[in-house]
Amino acid sequence: QVQLVESGGGLVQTGGSLRLSCAASGSIFSGNTMGWYRQPPGKQRELVATITSDSTTTYADSVKGRFTISRDNAKNTVYLQMNSLKPEDTAVYNCNLKTMFGQFWGQGTQVTVSS
């Protein structure tokens, strides 16, 4: 069983920064991809960023240059550094882990950016 525990969400003003963390535990296998998705109020969930086990990254166009995804394989933890936050970044952010045996989701953490 895989468990993903997120932390680091909260309320921040426009232009501020937050750092999200997601620690994975359980049957974690090498060669996985970890990532962050978000669901803004009243909208569908969307990709924010992903990072493979060899640190290849992808980003949504809306966050390029502002967000940075990274991971610590020894700790099975993925991070999302969010800078220059905008009100449209307000959403529930979910951690995701994809392995050859399936994908898993965290419970979500709320990020609210006030204008």
Side-chain angles (χ1 to χ4, degrees), residues 7-95:
S7 61
L11 173 65
V12 65
Q13 291 185 332
T14 297
S17 298
L18 283 174
R19 188 191 195 209
L20 305 183
S21 300
C22 173
S25 60
S27 300
I28 309 296
F29 299 94
S30 61
N32 59 65
T33 296
M34 300 188 78
W36 292 93
Y37 291 71
R38 67 185 182 187
Q39 186 166 17
K43 297 184 179 180
Q44 292 187 333
R45 185 160 55 192
E46 62 187 21
L47 170 71
V48 177
T50 64
I51 184 167
T52 64
S53 54
D54 63 356
S55 296
T56 300
T57 59
T58 61
Y59 293 94
D61 288 342
S62 59
V63 306
K64 283 181 181 176
R66 299 188 298 123
F67 291 11
T68 302
I69 190 170
S70 61
R71 64 187 288 168
D72 184 335
N73 289 332
K75 296 181 179 179
N76 288 323
T77 299
V78 63
Y79 306 96
L80 185 68
Q81 179 65 45
M82 305 185 293
N83 298 328
S84 302
L85 283 161
K86 306 175 181 179
E88 50 263 44
D89 294 318
T90 294
V92 175
Y93 284 70
N94 289 95
C95 177

